[in-house]
Coordinates of all heavy atoms in Angstrom, one line a residue:
M1 N 4.3 -54.8 55.5 CA 5.0 -53.9 54.5 C 6.5 -54.1 54.7 O 7.0 -54.1 55.8 CB 4.6 -52.5 54.8 CG 5.2 -51.5 53.9 SD 4.7 -49.8 54.2 CE 3.0 -49.8 54.4
S2 N 7.2 -54.3 53.6 CA 8.6 -54.6 53.7 C 9.3 -53.2 53.9 O 8.8 -52.2 53.7 CB 9.1 -55.2 52.4 OG 9.0 -54.2 51.3
A3 N 10.6 -53.3 54.4 CA 11.3 -52.1 54.6 C 11.5 -51.2 53.3 O 11.5 -50.0 53.4 CB 12.7 -52.5 55.2
A4 N 11.7 -51.9 52.2 CA 11.9 -51.2 50.9 C 10.6 -50.4 50.6 O 10.7 -49.3 50.1 CB 12.3 -52.2 49.8
T5 N 9.5 -51.1 50.8 CA 8.2 -50.4 50.5 C 8.0 -49.3 51.5 O 7.5 -48.2 51.1 CB 7.1 -51.4 50.5 OG1 7.4 -52.5 49.6 CG2 5.8 -50.8 50.1
A6 N 8.2 -49.5 52.7 CA 8.0 -48.5 53.8 C 8.8 -47.2 53.5 O 8.3 -46.1 53.8 CB 8.3 -49.0 55.1
A7 N 10.0 -47.4 53.0 CA 10.8 -46.2 52.7 C 10.2 -45.3 51.6 O 10.5 -44.1 51.6 CB 12.2 -46.7 52.3
N8 N 9.3 -45.8 50.8 CA 8.7 -45.1 49.7 C 7.4 -44.5 50.0 O 6.8 -43.7 49.2 CB 8.6 -46.0 48.5 CG 9.9 -46.5 47.9 OD1 10.9 -45.7 48.0 ND2 9.9 -47.7 47.5
V9 N 6.9 -44.7 51.2 CA 5.6 -44.2 51.6 C 5.6 -42.7 51.8 O 6.5 -42.2 52.5 CB 5.1 -44.9 52.9 CG1 3.8 -44.2 53.4 CG2 4.8 -46.4 52.6
R10 N 4.7 -42.0 51.2 CA 4.7 -40.5 51.3 C 3.4 -40.0 52.0 O 3.3 -38.9 52.4 CB 4.8 -39.9 49.9 CG 6.0 -40.2 49.1 CD 7.2 -39.5 49.5 NE 7.0 -38.1 49.3 CZ 7.8 -37.2 49.8 NH1 8.8 -37.5 50.6 NH2 7.5 -35.9 49.6
M11 N 2.4 -40.9 52.0 CA 1.1 -40.5 52.5 C 0.4 -41.7 53.2 O 0.4 -42.8 52.7 CB 0.2 -39.9 51.4 CG -1.1 -39.4 51.9 SD -2.2 -38.9 50.5 CE -1.2 -37.9 49.5
V12 N -0.2 -41.4 54.3 CA -1.0 -42.4 55.0 C -2.3 -41.7 55.3 O -2.4 -40.6 55.7 CB -0.4 -42.8 56.4 CG1 -1.3 -43.8 57.1 CG2 1.0 -43.4 56.1
V13 N -3.4 -42.4 55.0 CA -4.8 -41.8 55.2 C -5.5 -42.6 56.3 O -5.5 -43.8 56.3 CB -5.6 -41.9 53.9 CG1 -7.0 -41.4 54.1 CG2 -4.9 -41.1 52.8
F14 N -6.1 -41.9 57.2 CA -7.0 -42.5 58.3 C -8.4 -41.9 58.0 O -8.5 -40.7 57.8 CB -6.5 -42.0 59.6 CG -5.2 -42.7 60.1 CD1 -4.0 -42.3 59.7 CD2 -5.3 -43.7 61.0 CE1 -2.8 -42.9 60.1 CE2 -4.2 -44.4 61.5 CZ -2.9 -44.0 61.0
T15 N -9.3 -42.8 58.2 CA -10.7 -42.3 58.1 C -11.5 -42.9 59.2 O -11.1 -43.9 59.8 CB -11.4 -42.8 56.7 OG1 -11.4 -44.2 56.7 CG2 -10.6 -42.2 55.5
Q16 N -12.7 -42.4 59.5 CA -13.6 -42.9 60.5 C -15.0 -42.6 60.1 O -15.3 -41.5 59.5 CB -13.3 -42.4 61.9 CG -13.5 -41.0 62.1 CD -13.2 -40.6 63.5 OE1 -12.6 -41.4 64.2 NE2 -13.5 -39.4 63.9
E17 N -15.9 -43.5 60.3 CA -17.3 -43.2 60.0 C -18.0 -42.3 61.0 O -18.8 -41.5 60.6 CB -18.1 -44.6 59.9 CG -19.5 -44.4 59.4 CD -20.2 -45.7 59.2 OE1 -19.5 -46.7 59.3 OE2 -21.4 -45.7 58.9
H18 N -17.7 -42.5 62.3 CA -18.3 -41.8 63.3 C -17.3 -41.2 64.3 O -16.2 -41.7 64.4 CB -19.3 -42.7 64.1 CG -20.3 -43.3 63.3 ND1 -21.4 -42.6 62.8 CD2 -20.5 -44.6 62.9 CE1 -22.2 -43.5 62.1 NE2 -21.6 -44.7 62.2
R19 N -17.6 -40.1 64.9 CA -16.8 -39.5 65.9 C -16.5 -40.5 67.1 O -17.4 -41.3 67.3 CB -17.4 -38.2 66.5 CG -17.4 -37.1 65.5 CD -18.0 -35.9 66.1 NE -17.0 -35.5 67.1 CZ -16.9 -34.3 67.5 NH1 -17.7 -33.3 67.0 NH2 -16.0 -33.9 68.4
G20 N -15.4 -40.3 67.8 CA -15.2 -41.1 69.0 C -14.4 -42.4 68.8 O -14.2 -43.1 69.7
H21 N -13.9 -42.7 67.6 CA -13.1 -43.9 67.4 C -11.7 -43.7 67.7 O -10.9 -44.6 67.6 CB -13.3 -44.3 65.9 CG -14.7 -44.8 65.6 ND1 -15.1 -45.0 64.3 CD2 -15.7 -45.1 66.4 CE1 -16.3 -45.5 64.3 NE2 -16.7 -45.5 65.6
G22 N -11.2 -42.5 68.0 CA -9.8 -42.3 68.4 C -8.9 -42.1 67.2 O -7.7 -42.2 67.4
V23 N -9.4 -41.8 66.1 CA -8.5 -41.7 64.9 C -7.6 -40.4 65.1 O -6.4 -40.5 64.7 CB -9.3 -41.6 63.6 CG1 -8.5 -41.3 62.4 CG2 -10.0 -42.9 63.4
S24 N -8.1 -39.3 65.5 CA -7.3 -38.1 65.6 C -6.1 -38.4 66.6 O -5.0 -38.0 66.3 CB -8.1 -37.0 66.2 OG -9.1 -36.6 65.2
T25 N -6.4 -39.0 67.7 CA -5.4 -39.4 68.7 C -4.3 -40.3 68.1 O -3.1 -40.1 68.3 CB -6.0 -39.9 70.0 OG1 -7.0 -39.0 70.5 CG2 -4.9 -40.2 71.0
A26 N -4.8 -41.3 67.4 CA -3.9 -42.3 66.7 C -3.0 -41.6 65.7 O -1.8 -41.8 65.6 CB -4.7 -43.4 66.1
V27 N -3.6 -40.7 64.9 CA -2.8 -39.9 63.9 C -1.7 -39.1 64.6 O -0.6 -39.0 64.2 CB -3.8 -39.0 63.1 CG1 -3.0 -38.0 62.3 CG2 -4.6 -39.9 62.1
F28 N -2.1 -38.4 65.7 CA -1.2 -37.5 66.4 C 0.0 -38.3 66.9 O 1.2 -38.0 66.7 CB -1.9 -36.8 67.5 CG -0.9 -35.9 68.3 CD1 -0.5 -34.7 67.8 CD2 -0.5 -36.3 69.6 CE1 0.4 -33.9 68.5 CE2 0.3 -35.5 70.3 CZ 0.8 -34.3 69.8
Y29 N -0.2 -39.5 67.6 CA 0.8 -40.3 68.2 C 1.7 -41.0 67.1 O 2.9 -41.1 67.3 CB 0.3 -41.2 69.2 CG -0.1 -40.5 70.5 CD1 -1.4 -40.4 70.9 CD2 0.9 -39.8 71.2 CE1 -1.7 -39.7 72.0 CE2 0.6 -39.1 72.4 CZ -0.8 -39.0 72.8 OH -1.1 -38.3 73.9
L30 N 1.1 -41.4 66.0 CA 1.8 -41.9 64.9 C 2.8 -40.9 64.3 O 3.9 -41.2 64.0 CB 0.9 -42.5 63.8 CG 1.6 -42.9 62.5 CD1 2.6 -44.1 62.8 CD2 0.6 -43.4 61.5
A31 N 2.2 -39.7 64.1 CA 3.0 -38.6 63.6 C 4.2 -38.3 64.5 O 5.4 -38.1 64.0 CB 2.2 -37.3 63.4
Q32 N 4.0 -38.3 65.8 CA 5.1 -38.0 66.7 C 6.1 -39.2 66.7 O 7.3 -38.9 66.7 CB 4.6 -37.9 68.2 CG 4.0 -36.6 68.5 CD 3.8 -36.4 69.9 OE1 3.5 -37.3 70.7 NE2 4.0 -35.1 70.4
A33 N 5.7 -40.4 66.5 CA 6.6 -41.5 66.4 C 7.5 -41.4 65.1 O 8.6 -41.7 65.1 CB 5.9 -42.8 66.4
L34 N 6.8 -41.0 64.0 CA 7.6 -40.8 62.8 C 8.6 -39.7 62.9 O 9.7 -39.8 62.4 CB 6.6 -40.5 61.6 CG 5.8 -41.7 61.2 CD1 4.6 -41.2 60.3 CD2 6.6 -42.7 60.5
V35 N 8.2 -38.6 63.6 CA 9.2 -37.5 63.8 C 10.4 -38.0 64.6 O 11.5 -37.6 64.3 CB 8.5 -36.3 64.5 CG1 9.5 -35.3 65.0 CG2 7.5 -35.6 63.5
R36 N 10.2 -38.8 65.6 CA 11.3 -39.3 66.4 C 12.2 -40.2 65.6 O 13.3 -40.4 65.9 CB 10.7 -40.1 67.6 CG 10.2 -39.2 68.8 CD 10.0 -40.0 70.1 NE 8.9 -41.0 70.0 CZ 7.7 -40.7 70.2 NH1 7.2 -39.5 70.4 NH2 6.8 -41.7 70.1
Q37 N 11.7 -40.7 64.5 CA 12.5 -41.5 63.5 C 13.2 -40.7 62.5 O 13.8 -41.2 61.6 CB 11.6 -42.6 62.9 CG 11.0 -43.6 63.8 CD 12.1 -44.5 64.4 OE1 13.0 -44.9 63.8 NE2 11.9 -44.7 65.7
G38 N 13.0 -39.4 62.6 CA 13.7 -38.5 61.7 C 12.9 -38.0 60.5 O 13.4 -37.4 59.6
V39 N 11.6 -38.3 60.5 CA 10.7 -37.9 59.3 C 10.0 -36.6 59.7 O 9.5 -36.5 60.8 CB 9.7 -39.0 59.1 CG1 8.7 -38.6 58.0 CG2 10.3 -40.4 58.8
R40 N 10.0 -35.7 58.8 CA 9.2 -34.5 58.9 C 7.8 -34.8 58.5 O 7.6 -35.4 57.4 CB 9.8 -33.3 58.1 CG 11.2 -32.9 58.7 CD 11.8 -31.9 57.9 NE 12.1 -32.4 56.5 CZ 12.7 -31.7 55.6 NH1 13.0 -30.4 55.8 NH2 12.9 -32.3 54.4
V41 N 6.8 -34.4 59.3 CA 5.4 -34.8 59.1 C 4.5 -33.6 59.0 O 4.6 -32.8 59.8 CB 5.0 -35.8 60.2 CG1 3.5 -36.2 60.0 CG2 5.9 -37.0 60.3
L42 N 3.6 -33.7 58.0 CA 2.5 -32.7 58.0 C 1.2 -33.6 58.1 O 0.9 -34.5 57.3 CB 2.5 -32.0 56.6 CG 1.2 -31.1 56.4 CD1 1.2 -29.9 57.3 CD2 1.2 -30.6 54.9
V43 N 0.4 -33.2 59.1 CA -0.9 -33.8 59.3 C -1.9 -32.9 58.7 O -2.0 -31.7 59.1 CB -1.2 -34.1 60.8 CG1 -2.6 -34.6 61.0 CG2 -0.2 -35.0 61.4
A44 N -2.7 -33.4 57.7 CA -3.8 -32.6 57.1 C -5.1 -33.1 57.6 O -5.5 -34.3 57.4 CB -3.7 -32.8 55.6
D45 N -5.8 -32.3 58.4 CA -7.1 -32.6 58.9 C -8.1 -32.1 58.0 O -8.5 -30.9 57.9 CB -7.2 -31.9 60.3 CG -8.5 -32.4 61.0 OD1 -9.3 -33.1 60.4 OD2 -8.7 -31.9 62.2
L46 N -8.7 -33.0 57.2 CA -9.7 -32.7 56.2 C -11.1 -33.1 56.6 O -12.0 -33.3 55.8 CB -9.4 -33.4 54.9 CG -8.0 -33.1 54.3 CD1 -7.7 -33.9 53.1 CD2 -7.8 -31.6 54.0
S47 N -11.3 -33.4 57.9 CA -12.5 -34.0 58.4 C -13.7 -33.0 58.4 O -14.9 -33.5 58.4 CB -12.3 -34.5 59.9 OG -12.1 -33.4 60.7
L48 N -13.5 -31.7 58.5 CA -14.6 -30.7 58.6 C -15.4 -30.8 59.9 O -16.4 -30.1 60.1 CB -15.5 -30.8 57.4 CG -14.9 -30.6 56.0 CD1 -16.0 -30.7 54.9 CD2 -14.2 -29.3 55.9
R49 N -15.0 -31.7 60.7 CA -15.6 -31.8 62.1 C -14.7 -31.1 63.1 O -13.5 -30.8 62.8 CB -15.7 -33.2 62.5 CG -16.6 -34.0 61.6 CD -16.7 -35.4 62.1 NE -17.4 -36.3 61.2 CZ -17.3 -37.6 61.2 NH1 -16.6 -38.2 62.0 NH2 -18.0 -38.3 60.3
R50 N -15.2 -30.8 64.2 CA -14.4 -30.3 65.3 C -13.5 -31.4 65.8 O -13.9 -32.3 66.4 CB -15.3 -29.7 66.4 CG -14.5 -29.0 67.4 CD -15.3 -28.2 68.3 NE -14.5 -27.7 69.4 CZ -14.8 -27.6 70.6 NH1 -16.1 -27.8 70.9 NH2 -14.0 -27.2 71.5
S51 N -12.2 -31.2 65.5 CA -11.2 -32.3 65.8 C -10.4 -31.9 67.0 O -10.1 -30.7 67.2 CB -10.3 -32.4 64.5 OG -9.2 -33.2 64.8
P52 N -10.0 -32.9 67.8 CA -9.1 -32.6 68.9 C -7.6 -32.4 68.5 O -6.8 -32.1 69.3 CB -9.2 -33.9 69.7 CG -9.6 -35.0 68.8 CD -10.4 -34.3 67.7
L53 N -7.3 -32.5 67.2 CA -5.9 -32.4 66.7 C -5.3 -31.1 67.1 O -4.2 -31.0 67.5 CB -5.8 -32.6 65.2 CG -5.8 -34.1 64.8 CD1 -5.9 -34.2 63.3 CD2 -4.6 -34.8 65.3
G54 N -6.1 -30.0 66.9 CA -5.6 -28.6 67.2 C -5.1 -28.6 68.7 O -4.0 -28.1 69.0
A55 N -5.9 -29.1 69.6 CA -5.6 -29.1 71.0 C -4.4 -29.9 71.3 O -3.5 -29.6 72.1 CB -6.8 -29.5 71.8
L56 N -4.3 -31.1 70.6 CA -3.1 -32.0 70.9 C -1.9 -31.3 70.4 O -0.8 -31.4 71.1 CB -3.4 -33.3 70.1 CG -4.4 -34.3 70.7 CD1 -4.7 -35.4 69.7 CD2 -3.9 -34.8 72.0
F57 N -1.9 -30.6 69.2 CA -0.7 -29.9 68.7 C -0.3 -28.8 69.6 O 0.9 -28.5 69.8 CB -1.0 -29.5 67.3 CG -0.7 -30.5 66.3 CD1 -1.6 -31.5 66.0 CD2 0.5 -30.5 65.6 CE1 -1.3 -32.5 65.0 CE2 0.8 -31.4 64.6 CZ -0.1 -32.5 64.3
E58 N -1.3 -28.1 70.2 CA -1.0 -27.0 71.1 C -0.4 -27.4 72.4 O 0.5 -26.8 72.9 CB -2.3 -26.1 71.4 CG -2.8 -25.3 70.2 CD -4.0 -24.6 70.5 OE1 -4.4 -24.5 71.7 OE2 -4.7 -24.1 69.6
R59 N -0.9 -28.5 72.9 CA -0.3 -29.1 74.2 C 1.1 -29.7 74.0 O 1.8 -29.6 75.0 CB -1.3 -30.1 74.8 CG -2.3 -29.6 75.6 CD -3.1 -30.7 76.3 NE -3.7 -31.5 75.2 CZ -4.8 -32.1 75.2 NH1 -5.6 -32.0 76.3 NH2 -5.3 -32.7 74.2
S60 N 1.3 -30.2 72.9 CA 2.6 -30.9 72.6 C 3.3 -30.4 71.4 O 3.4 -31.2 70.4 CB 2.4 -32.4 72.6 OG 1.8 -32.9 73.8
P61 N 3.7 -29.2 71.3 CA 4.3 -28.7 70.0 C 5.6 -29.5 69.8 O 6.4 -29.8 70.7 CB 4.7 -27.2 70.3 CG 4.5 -27.0 71.7 CD 3.7 -28.1 72.3
T62 N 5.8 -30.0 68.6 CA 6.9 -30.8 68.2 C 7.6 -30.3 67.0 O 6.9 -30.0 66.0 CB 6.4 -32.3 68.0 OG1 5.7 -32.7 69.1 CG2 7.5 -33.2 67.7
K63 N 8.9 -30.1 67.0 CA 9.6 -29.7 65.8 C 9.5 -30.7 64.7 O 9.5 -31.9 65.0 CB 11.1 -29.6 66.2 CG 12.0 -29.0 65.1 CD 13.4 -28.8 65.5 CE 14.2 -28.3 64.4 NZ 15.6 -28.2 64.7
N64 N 9.3 -30.2 63.5 CA 9.2 -31.1 62.3 C 7.8 -31.8 62.2 O 7.7 -32.7 61.5 CB 10.3 -32.1 62.2 CG 11.6 -31.4 61.9 OD1 11.7 -30.4 61.3 ND2 12.7 -32.0 62.5
L65 N 6.9 -31.3 63.0 CA 5.5 -31.8 63.0 C 4.5 -30.7 62.8 O 4.5 -29.8 63.6 CB 5.2 -32.6 64.2 CG 3.8 -33.2 64.4 CD1 3.4 -34.1 63.2 CD2 3.7 -33.9 65.7
G66 N 3.8 -30.6 61.7 CA 2.9 -29.6 61.4 C 1.5 -30.0 61.2 O 1.2 -31.2 60.8
L67 N 0.5 -29.1 61.5 CA -0.9 -29.5 61.3 C -1.5 -28.5 60.3 O -1.2 -27.3 60.4 CB -1.7 -29.3 62.7 CG -3.2 -29.4 62.6 CD1 -3.6 -30.8 62.1 CD2 -3.8 -29.1 63.9
W68 N -2.2 -29.0 59.3 CA -2.9 -28.2 58.3 C -4.3 -28.5 58.3 O -4.8 -29.7 58.2 CB -2.3 -28.5 57.0 CG -2.9 -27.8 55.8 CD1 -3.1 -26.4 55.7 CD2 -3.4 -28.4 54.6 NE1 -3.7 -26.1 54.5 CE2 -3.9 -27.3 53.8 CE3 -3.4 -29.7 54.1 CZ2 -4.4 -27.5 52.6 CZ3 -4.0 -29.9 52.9 CH2 -4.5 -28.8 52.1
T69 N -5.2 -27.5 58.5 CA -6.6 -27.6 58.5 C -7.2 -26.6 57.5 O -7.5 -25.5 57.8 CB -7.2 -27.4 59.9 OG1 -6.8 -26.1 60.4 CG2 -6.8 -28.4 60.9
P70 N -7.4 -27.0 56.3 CA -7.7 -26.1 55.2 C -9.2 -25.7 55.1 O -9.6 -24.8 54.4 CB -7.4 -26.9 53.9 CG -7.6 -28.3 54.3 CD -7.1 -28.4 55.8
G71 N -10.1 -26.4 55.9 CA -11.5 -26.1 55.8 C -12.1 -26.9 54.6 O -11.5 -27.8 54.0
A72 N -13.3 -26.5 54.2 CA -14.0 -27.2 53.2 C -13.4 -26.9 51.8 O -13.1 -25.8 51.4 CB -15.5 -26.7 53.1
L73 N -13.1 -28.0 51.1 CA -12.6 -28.0 49.8 C -13.4 -28.9 48.8 O -13.9 -29.9 49.3 CB -11.1 -28.5 49.7 CG -10.1 -27.7 50.5 CD1 -8.8 -28.5 50.6 CD2 -9.8 -26.4 49.9
T74 N -13.4 -28.5 47.6 CA -14.0 -29.4 46.6 C -12.9 -30.3 46.1 O -11.7 -29.9 46.1 CB -14.6 -28.7 45.4 OG1 -13.6 -28.0 44.7 CG2 -15.7 -27.7 45.9
P75 N -13.1 -31.5 45.6 CA -12.1 -32.3 45.0 C -11.3 -31.6 43.9 O -10.1 -31.8 43.8 CB -12.8 -33.5 44.4 CG -14.1 -33.6 45.3 CD -14.4 -32.2 45.6
K76 N -11.9 -30.7 43.2 CA -11.2 -30.0 42.1 C -10.2 -29.0 42.7 O -9.2 -28.7 42.0 CB -12.3 -29.2 41.3 CG -11.8 -28.7 40.0 CD -13.0 -28.1 39.2 CE -12.6 -27.9 37.8 NZ -13.8 -27.4 37.0
Q77 N -10.4 -28.4 43.9 CA -9.5 -27.5 44.5 C -8.3 -28.1 45.1 O -7.3 -27.4 45.3 CB -10.3 -26.7 45.6 CG -11.4 -25.8 45.1 CD -12.2 -25.2 46.2 OE1 -12.7 -26.0 47.1 NE2 -12.3 -23.9 46.3
L78 N -8.4 -29.4 45.5 CA -7.4 -30.0 46.3 C -6.0 -29.9 45.7 O -5.0 -29.6 46.4 CB -7.8 -31.4 46.7 CG -7.0 -32.1 47.7 CD1 -7.0 -31.3 49.0 CD2 -7.5 -33.5 48.0
P79 N -5.8 -30.3 44.4 CA -4.4 -30.3 43.9 C -3.8 -28.9 44.0 O -2.6 -28.8 44.3 CB -4.6 -30.7 42.4 CG -5.9 -31.5 42.4 CD -6.8 -30.8 43.4
Q80 N -4.5 -27.8 43.7 CA -4.0 -26.5 43.7 C -3.7 -26.1 45.2 O -2.6 -25.5 45.4 CB -4.9 -25.5 43.1 CG -5.2 -25.7 41.6 CD -6.6 -25.3 41.3 OE1 -7.5 -25.3 42.1 NE2 -6.8 -25.0 40.0
V81 N -4.5 -26.4 46.1 CA -4.3 -26.1 47.5 C -3.1 -26.9 48.0 O -2.2 -26.3 48.7 CB -5.6 -26.4 48.3 CG1 -5.3 -26.3 49.8 CG2 -6.7 -25.4 47.9
L82 N -3.0 -28.1 47.7 CA -1.8 -28.9 48.1 C -0.5 -28.4 47.6 O 0.5 -28.3 48.3 CB -2.0 -30.4 47.7 CG -3.0 -31.2 48.5 CD1 -3.1 -32.6 47.9 CD2 -2.6 -31.3 50.0
E83 N -0.5 -27.9 46.3 CA 0.7 -27.3 45.8 C 1.1 -26.1 46.6 O 2.3 -25.8 46.9 CB 0.5 -27.1 44.3 CG 1.8 -26.5 43.7 CD 3.0 -27.5 43.9 OE1 2.8 -28.7 43.8 OE2 4.1 -26.9 44.1
R84 N 0.1 -25.2 46.9 CA 0.4 -24.0 47.7 C 0.9 -24.4 49.0 O 1.9 -23.7 49.5 CB -0.9 -23.2 47.8 CG -0.7 -21.8 47.7 CD -2.0 -20.9 47.6 NE -3.1 -21.4 48.4 CZ -4.3 -21.7 47.8 NH1 -4.5 -21.6 46.5 NH2 -5.3 -22.1 48.6
V85 N 0.4 -25.4 49.7 CA 0.9 -25.8 51.0 C 2.3 -26.3 50.9 O 3.2 -26.0 51.7 CB 0.0 -26.9 51.6 CG1 0.6 -27.5 52.8 CG2 -1.4 -26.3 51.9
R86 N 2.6 -27.1 49.8 CA 4.0 -27.6 49.6 C 5.0 -26.5 49.6 O 6.1 -26.5 50.1 CB 4.1 -28.4 48.3 CG 3.5 -29.8 48.5 CD 3.8 -30.6 47.2 NE 3.2 -31.9 47.3 CZ 2.1 -32.3 46.7 NH1 1.5 -31.4 45.9 NH2 1.6 -33.4 46.8
Q87 N 4.6 -25.4 48.9 CA 5.5 -24.2 48.8 C 5.6 -23.6 50.1 O 6.8 -23.1 50.5 CB 5.0 -23.3 47.8 CG 5.0 -23.8 46.4 CD 4.3 -22.9 45.4 OE1 3.7 -21.9 45.7 NE2 4.2 -23.4 44.1
Q88 N 4.6 -23.4 50.9 CA 4.6 -22.8 52.2 C 5.4 -23.5 53.3 O 6.0 -22.9 54.1 CB 3.2 -22.6 52.7 CG 2.4 -21.6 51.9 CD 1.0 -21.5 52.4 OE1 0.5 -22.3 53.2 NE2 0.2 -20.6 51.8
I89 N 5.4 -24.8 53.2 CA 6.1 -25.6 54.2 C 7.4 -26.2 53.8 O 8.0 -26.9 54.5 CB 5.2 -26.8 54.7 CG1 4.9 -27.8 53.6 CG2 3.9 -26.2 55.3 CD1 4.3 -29.0 54.0
A90 N 7.9 -25.8 52.6 CA 9.2 -26.3 52.1 C 10.3 -26.2 53.1 O 10.5 -25.1 53.7 CB 9.5 -25.6 50.8
G91 N 10.9 -27.3 53.4 CA 12.0 -27.3 54.4 C 11.5 -27.4 55.8 O 12.4 -27.6 56.7
K92 N 10.2 -27.4 56.1 CA 9.7 -27.5 57.5 C 9.2 -28.9 57.7 O 9.5 -29.5 58.7 CB 8.6 -26.5 57.7 CG 9.1 -25.0 57.6 CD 8.0 -24.1 57.7 CE 8.6 -22.6 57.4 NZ 7.5 -21.7 57.3
V93 N 8.4 -29.4 56.8 CA 7.8 -30.8 56.9 C 7.8 -31.3 55.5 O 7.8 -30.6 54.5 CB 6.4 -30.8 57.5 CG1 6.4 -30.4 59.0 CG2 5.4 -30.0 56.8
D94 N 7.8 -32.7 55.4 CA 7.8 -33.3 54.1 C 6.3 -33.5 53.7 O 5.5 -33.9 54.5 CB 8.5 -34.7 54.1 CG 9.9 -34.5 54.3 OD1 10.5 -33.5 53.9 OD2 10.5 -35.4 55.0
C95 N 6.0 -33.4 52.4 CA 4.7 -33.8 51.8 C 4.8 -33.9 50.3 O 5.7 -33.5 49.7 CB 3.6 -32.9 52.2 SG 3.5 -31.3 51.3

């Protein structure tokens, strides 16, 4: 990815087929690295599984790094919920 393209990235999505692949840990450390670069980050955990992200965030609270776990959503609900979250986190993290 070129620097010009990287500057325009607003969302990165990680997925995994099965538990235990380390995706939650990778997401957490990538988010921390982005915060150290001056980016405000919101991690949205949409997995509906018991994720280690909550424990990672509790152990290492980081300014400008937020975790959002909305629970079960239908695809139709997602745009409205995301807009509500954008309003709630305005000025705290980017999304």
